[in-house]
Amino acid sequence: MAGLLSNFTEMARLFTDVATATANPIPALMLLFGAVFVGFSVLFFAYLTVGGLGSALISDVPGRTPPQ
């Protein structure tokens, strides 16, 4: 677990170094937009997954079923 955590901190440090290496703001903007796109995709598909699981577990009709 400690190795995994150190890999994440090293990755964050490397991305920060790349984004701030030059006076050019383009790498930082690309990094920001990439993070926004990936974050949005993860949240959207997590929302769809939770909704799908919820609809499978929760009945559409509250109470007892109607007589046939």
Side-chain angles (χ1 to χ4, degrees):
M1 182 70 179
L4 184 63
L5 185 60
S6 68
N7 284 342
F8 279 129
T9 57
E10 180 70 15
M11 181 183 64
R13 187 187 64 76
L14 290 173
F15 274 114
T16 304
D17 289 346
V18 168
T20 60
T22 64
N24 191 2
I26 299 298
L29 288 174
M30 289 174 60
L31 187 65
L32 176 68
F33 281 116
V36 168
F37 290 146
V38 169
F40 175 76
S41 299
V42 167
L43 290 176
F44 180 72
F45 286 113
Y47 173 75
L48 290 178
T49 302
V50 169
L53 290 173
S55 69
L57 297 175
I58 297 174
S59 160
D60 290 337
V61 180
R64 61 184 191 147
T65 60
Q68 295 182 356

